[in-house]
Amino acid sequence: MEHWKAVFMKFIMCIGILGLVLGLFFGVSFPNIFILSVLLTVVSYIVGDVYLLPRFENWGATLFDFILAFVAIYLLGSFLFEMEIPLVTASLVSSAFLAVGEYFFHKYMANQVLDGHAIRSDEEKELINQKLQAEYSEELNQGIPEDREE
């Protein structure tokens, strides 16, 4: 249930940001914004939030979302948008705003949906590495001569 709630929140964020940036500033129609929002929500959630976020933390997933949004808006915009708009600028501005939203969405994902296990701080990683270190002592060598040749 938490995943559906997160997907819905992500969709609302995408359609809101794209509606403001592409709709208000570049005059893109609502059906085109809706198509872009659905595509970005599905692909970004599956690949960026569920797969990459636990592995690369917030920065990696946000970078992926920025690149995905830029490429998707640029490529689909060349086919969908009826009028001539500065496509690179529209893609760049939209992607930047989406990346900021995704940064905060990933914090929500890590704490609420992925139960906080996805993103570890550097201190937590260091503790885990220290706990996994093995010790070697002289007691383990008691039956083995030091000058043993093999």
Side-chain angles (χ1 to χ4, degrees):
M1 184 65 181
E2 287 296 319
H3 283 283
W4 287 112
K5 182 179 173 184
V7 169
F8 181 71
M9 287 175 58
K10 186 176 188 86
F11 176 72
I12 295 300
M13 179 189 68
C14 282
I15 205 162
I17 290 173
L18 292 178
L20 285 174
V21 175
L22 293 177
L24 280 178
F25 296 115
F26 297 101
V28 176
S29 67
F30 182 76
N32 292 334
I33 292 171
F34 185 82
I35 291 169
L36 280 171
S37 297
V38 168
L39 175 81
L40 285 173
T41 300
V42 171
V43 174
S44 176
Y45 189 81
I46 292 170
V47 178
D49 301 333
V50 174
Y51 181 75
L52 291 177
L53 181 61
R55 288 163 181 77
F56 294 103
E57 300 176 350
N58 198 347
W59 67 269
T62 302
L63 180 64
F64 168 78
D65 287 329
F66 175 80
I67 294 169
L68 173 71
F70 180 81
V71 170
I73 293 168
Y74 184 80
L75 291 178
L76 287 175
S78 64
F79 295 110
L80 292 177
F81 302 162
E82 295 92 21
M83 64 183 110
E84 293 294 321
I85 64 170
L87 206 49
V88 174
T89 305
S91 301
L92 193 61
V93 171
S94 299
S95 300
F97 279 104
L98 282 171
V100 170
E102 290 290 344
Y103 175 79
F104 294 105
F105 179 75
H106 293 156
K107 289 182 179 279
Y108 167 79
M109 279 289 295
N111 293 328
Q112 301 297 321
V113 180
L114 301 175
D115 297 327
H117 299 295
I119 299 176
R120 292 194 170 106
S121 67
D122 291 335
E123 293 84 19
E124 289 175 315
K125 289 178 185 175
E126 185 64 33
L127 275 173
I128 290 170
N129 288 337
Q130 288 175 357
K131 288 180 182 178
L132 296 177
Q133 291 178 353
E135 289 187 24
Y136 179 78
S137 67
E138 292 294 322
E139 295 149 358
L140 297 175
N141 280 339
Q142 286 195 356
I144 302 172
E146 287 185 25
D147 58 323
R148 183 177 125 191
E149 295 181 44
E150 293 187 30

